[in-house]
């Protein structure tokens, strides 16, 4: 028979003691590795309570499929209370990321039409291609400046600028020109604040905001300030466009971005637009840049794979003769690389949903309303679901191996990543241009590990050498 919820193995009976043990095991920055150990100890399902964070954890793709069948009409992921608190504290609206129920669905449907549906994807291709070309030009400039016909660097900051340039062009229809060196202190501050906000949020996952507010620690104030830096810059960008619309400038008519379109439509309130646009801009920086960095790092370790990709790209270019939209349809190995990167180095360590009905997973009863997490990081590294999981093999995504519920880097269903199409297009085009122009070598450590900083980031600098082809 089905076993009751309370029989589930795990550590959920003493949440404060558990949090202490977790902290002693280095859980704050290593939670993803601890999760793997927990699956070894408890099996493919376990219950956990760390402070206020209560969850059921699963690892298998089939169980993931059961979970997402029970996500309901208004899917909800873990409520990050510290994120909600900031909006309340400043009297700002929640955007698409933090809304729930019907309010979420309404803005999500409006936004999907501008950023996610296939019909609009073609519009981005040319914008993102332009930014990809600027990135290559920037690197060529640095190679020339070095006088050594190569450039050895930790690309993180350059990729942050590339990613902000990309999302900015899509949202506002205009270039910041960050890759041409036009970077104001406010812009750099915004970039810094995003990474800080993620990392400062990390310990607050397990503590209720009212307590943090009451204690008023330095960490909590730093955290609130990081969000201020994000919203101040978001407001500046939005006000600039609003002013251009008011002044009837031609630029906004000729190349309207997502923001202009939303303001003209009048489907969403201005405060809702502001909240969601700022979330999209902030969500578009560290995610794609870090995924690109890990990809370049993996390619640097496999020169022959670089050659295979160059051949695929050259053939695609030739057969489509400058039609980029068509070209992006025939580069399966490039796309395999991005899936493979997100398998080994996922931005999100897990996908979570509150169940909306009673379900049974691994023969345990799970009541409706439970937070269940599919641990993508653990799944991606388990030999049960991926052959030779430690090896970076993009072609595994092409044929042969089962792919059922395994490509989960962007989440799943109607609440999956809303930036997915922008991110994919941006990363594909960037990789194409990089591979067409440079050879990469790894000039840093051989096995850089991930660190949990709310999103997974490299635990040590990744140092690459780029040489012109
Ligand atoms: C949500 C991953 C890029 C904005 C998510 C989720 C994941 C994710 C796993 C949760 C999905 C779920 O719960 O099913 C990634 C990865 C990226 C990326 C791996 C790049 C490699 C972006 C970009 C943007 C963005 C470029 C902005 C344009 C968002 C937003 C949400 C979200 C706003 C919340 C959507 C909602 O609640 O309806 N992302 N993301 N992400 N992402 Fe991304
Ligand atoms: C972090 O256990 C680990 O896309 C927690 O662009 C569970 C959890 C919940 C929500 C996830 C978060 C994790 C990682 C970062 C995600 C977030 C949802 C959206 C966010 C995946 C897995 C992200 C990076 C957004 C961020 C936009 C923000 C800057 C406005």
């Amino acid at each position: 028979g089905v076993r009751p919820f309370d029989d589930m193995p795990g550590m959920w009976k003493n949440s404060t003691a558990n949090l202490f043990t977790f902290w002693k095991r280095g859980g704050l920055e290593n939670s993803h590795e601890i999760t793997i150990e927990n699956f070894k100890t408890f099996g493919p399902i376990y219950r956990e309570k760390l402070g206020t964070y209560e969850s059921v954890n699963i690892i298998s793709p089939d169980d993931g499929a059961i979970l997402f069948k029970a996500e309901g009409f208004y899917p909800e992921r873990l409520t990050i209370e510290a994120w909600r608190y900031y909006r309340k504290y400043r009297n700002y609206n929640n955007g698409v990321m933090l809304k729930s129920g019907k309010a979420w669905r309404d803005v999500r449907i409006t936004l999907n039409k501008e950023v996610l549906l296939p019909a609009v994807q073609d519009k981005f291709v040319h914008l993102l291609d332009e930014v990809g070309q600027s990135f290559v030009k920037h690197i060529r400039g640095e190679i020339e400046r070095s006088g050594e016909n190569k450039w050895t660097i930790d690309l993180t900051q350059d990729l942050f600028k590339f990613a902000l340039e990309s999302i900015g062009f899509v949202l506002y229809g205009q270039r910041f020109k960050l890759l041409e060196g036009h970077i104001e202190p406010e812009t750099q501050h915004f970039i810094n604040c995003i990474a800080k906000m993620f990392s400062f949020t990390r310990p607050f996952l397990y503590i209720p905001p009212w307590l943090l507010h009451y204690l008023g620690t330095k960490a909590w104030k730093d955290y609130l300030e990081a969000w201020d830096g994000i919203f101040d810059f978001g407001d500046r960008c939005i006000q600039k466009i609003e002013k251009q619309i008011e002044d009837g400038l031609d630029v906004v008519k000729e190349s309207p971005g997502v923001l202009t379109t939303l303001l003209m439509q009048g489907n969403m309130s201005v405060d809702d637009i502001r909240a969601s646009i700022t979330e999209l801009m902030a969500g578009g920086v560290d995610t794609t840049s870090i995924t690109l960095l890990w990809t370049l790092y993996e390619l640097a370790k496999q020169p022959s794979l670089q050659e295979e990709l160059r051949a695929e790209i050259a053939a695609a270019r030739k057969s489509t003769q400058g039609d980029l939209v068509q070209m992006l349809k025939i580069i399966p190995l490039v796309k395999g690389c991005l899936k493979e990167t997100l398998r080994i180095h996922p931005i999100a360590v897990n996908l979570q949903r509150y169940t909306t009905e009673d379900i049974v997973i691994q023969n345990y009863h799970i009541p409706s309303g439970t937070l269940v997490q599919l641990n993508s990081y653990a799944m991606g590294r388990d030999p049960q679901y991926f052959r030779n999981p430690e090896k970076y093999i993009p072609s595994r995504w092409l044929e042969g191996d089962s792919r059922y519920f395994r490509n989960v880097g962007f989440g799943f269903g109607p609440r999956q990543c809303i930036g997915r199409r922008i991110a994919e297009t941006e990363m594909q085009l960037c990789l194409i241009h990089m591979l067409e122009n440079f050879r990469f070598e790894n000039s840093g450590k051989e096995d850089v590990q991930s660190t949990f900083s709310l999103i997974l980031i490299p635990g040590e600098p990744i140092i690459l050498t780029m040489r012109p082809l």
Side-chain angles (χ1 to χ4, degrees):
V2 174
R3 303 180 64 179
F5 191 44
D6 283 349
D7 279 4
M8 200 183 285
M11 310 195 301
W12 46 278
K13 284 187 177 141
N14 190 334
S15 59
T16 313
N18 292 345
L19 189 55
F20 184 68
T21 316
F22 177 74
W23 174 75
K24 273 204 309 197
R25 288 164 83 188
L28 285 186
E29 54 284 343
N30 256 329
S31 62
H32 53 302
E33 292 299 339
I34 293 186
T35 306
I36 291 184
E37 288 169 29
N38 287 343
F39 282 116
K40 283 196 189 123
T41 312
F42 299 121
I45 190 164
Y46 69 89
R47 226 173 129 179
E48 183 178 61
K49 189 164 185 199
L50 298 170
T52 51
Y53 194 148
E54 200 172 353
S55 63
V56 166
N57 291 273
I58 57 176
I59 186 170
S60 98
D62 292 325
D63 293 345
I66 302 177
L67 168 62
F68 279 88
K69 271 192 198 111
E71 70 172 352
F73 194 60
Y74 302 126
E76 293 279 349
R77 66 178 77 87
L78 169 78
T79 332
I80 300 186
E81 296 292 349
W83 286 2
R84 291 240 166 113
Y85 178 92
Y86 174 79
R87 307 299 170 95
K88 268 231 169 95
Y89 161 75
R90 284 289 183 215
N91 202 14
Y92 293 160
N93 284 21
N94 286 327
V96 66
M97 181 182 68
L98 295 179
K99 281 188 188 293
S100 35
K102 186 173 182 308
W104 164 75
R105 207 179 150 85
D106 288 346
V107 300
R108 176 82 197 209
I109 286 171
T110 304
L111 290 172
N112 279 352
K113 289 185 191 128
E114 304 311 318
V115 300
L116 191 66
L117 296 186
V120 287
Q121 202 189 337
D122 296 356
K123 279 208 284 192
F124 307 145
V125 171
H126 299 277
L127 307 180
L128 295 169
D129 186 56
E130 202 184 303
V131 183
Q133 290 186 26
S134 297
F135 190 59
V136 162
K137 215 172 145 195
H138 162 68
I139 294 176
R140 282 202 175 275
E142 294 293 342
I143 291 177
E144 257 166 53
R145 196 146 20 128
S146 77
E148 295 180 296
N149 206 33
K150 64 173 187 185
W151 191 34
T152 301
I153 183 99
D154 175 352
L155 270 178
T156 310
Q157 287 300 324
D158 302 82
L159 282 165
F160 283 171
K161 288 180 202 164
F162 161 78
L164 179 54
E165 188 74 30
S166 299
I167 188 67
F169 202 13
V170 170
L171 293 179
Y172 307 119
Q174 294 169 27
R175 296 288 299 264
F176 289 119
K177 301 202 176 140
L178 304 176
L179 299 165
E180 284 76 33
H182 293 250
I183 181 146
E184 290 161 37
E186 289 84 355
T187 317
Q188 187 61 57
H189 183 66
F190 172 74
I191 291 176
N192 298 344
C193 281
I194 301 171
K196 281 188 191 169
M197 182 281 290
F198 282 132
S199 118
F200 292 163
T201 301
R202 194 179 52 186
F204 305 153
L205 284 176
Y206 316 99
I207 309 167
W210 61 263
L211 182 60
L212 294 162
H213 175 89
Y214 174 79
L215 296 170
T217 58
K218 169 100 171 32
W220 183 240
K221 286 181 188 137
D222 288 346
Y223 163 77
L224 297 172
E225 261 175 41
W227 271 123
D228 279 343
I230 293 172
F231 272 86
D232 289 349
F233 185 74
D235 281 351
R236 270 172 48 113
C237 297
I238 294 165
Q239 278 159 16
K240 190 178 151 203
I241 299 291
E242 280 175 331
K243 176 114 190 358
Q244 292 178 355
I245 296 176
E246 236 177 70
D247 296 348
L249 293 192
D250 289 339
V251 268
V252 270
K253 281 177 226 150
E254 281 154 19
S255 63
V258 173
L259 172 62
T260 305
T261 311
L262 292 175
L263 288 170
M264 297 299 193
Q265 272 173 359
N267 274 346
M268 284 166 68
S269 77
V270 175
D271 285 339
D272 274 352
I273 294 177
R274 173 176 178 250
S276 283
I277 289 287
T278 306
E279 287 175 3
L280 290 174
M281 185 163 62
V285 178
D286 300 34
T287 47
T288 51
S289 51
I290 288 168
T291 306
L292 277 169
L293 185 60
W294 281 122
T295 307
L296 295 174
Y297 170 73
E298 294 294 349
L299 298 185
K301 295 198 269 185
Q302 295 191 48
S304 64
L305 178 56
Q306 291 182 42
E307 284 309 320
E308 267 179 73
L309 289 159
R310 281 185 196 107
E312 180 184 82
I313 294 165
R317 273 243 190 256
K318 201 167 166 216
S319 75
T320 54
Q321 304 199 347
D323 184 340
L324 284 175
V325 176
Q326 284 311 114
M327 180 180 169
L328 294 187
K329 290 184 182 151
I330 49 172
I331 46 161
L333 196 60
V334 172
K335 292 180 182 177
C337 283
L338 293 168
K339 290 176 193 158
E340 191 67 345
T341 301
L342 287 173
R343 175 181 72 80
I344 306 189
H345 309 287
I347 287 292
V349 288
N350 58 45
L351 305 176
Q352 346 73 46
R353 291 293 184 265
Y354 295 95
T355 54
T356 60
E357 57 191 277
D358 286 18
I359 52 174
V360 174
I361 297 184
Q362 298 287 343
N363 210 33
Y364 285 101
H365 173 85
I366 299 171
S368 174
T370 305
L371 182 75
V372 182
Q373 308 190 135
L374 172 62
N375 289 274
S376 0
Y377 180 85
M379 177 179 93
R381 287 167 180 254
D382 192 315
Q384 260 196 281
Y385 314 117
F386 295 95
R387 279 187 296 146
N388 301 320
E390 71 293 345
K391 295 218 173 83
Y392 188 84
I393 314 174
S395 62
R396 72 166 82 237
W397 295 97
L398 304 190
E399 85 289 321
D401 296 12
S402 168
R403 275 160 280 160
Y404 181 67
F405 233 91
R406 281 161 173 77
N407 176 26
V408 292
F410 290 97
F412 183 82
R415 192 131 208 185
Q416 68 179 276
C417 178
I418 196 169
R420 178 174 191 162
R421 297 295 171 229
I422 298 176
E424 287 172 342
T425 313
E426 171 187 327
M427 296 191 297
Q428 288 160 16
L429 287 163
C430 184
L431 275 184
I432 289 173
H433 287 298
M434 291 295 278
L435 282 157
E436 283 179 329
N437 283 276
F438 311 112
R439 229 186 291 282
F440 319 101
E441 289 153 32
N442 182 18
S443 296
K445 265 196 65 175
E446 218 25 73
D447 58 334
V448 176
Q449 303 292 310
S450 293
T451 288
F452 179 66
S453 181
L454 203 76
I455 58 172
L456 278 190
I457 60 171
E460 291 155 285
I462 288 176
I463 313 290
L464 300 174
T465 298
M466 284 153 288
R467 298 173 198 274
L469 271 177

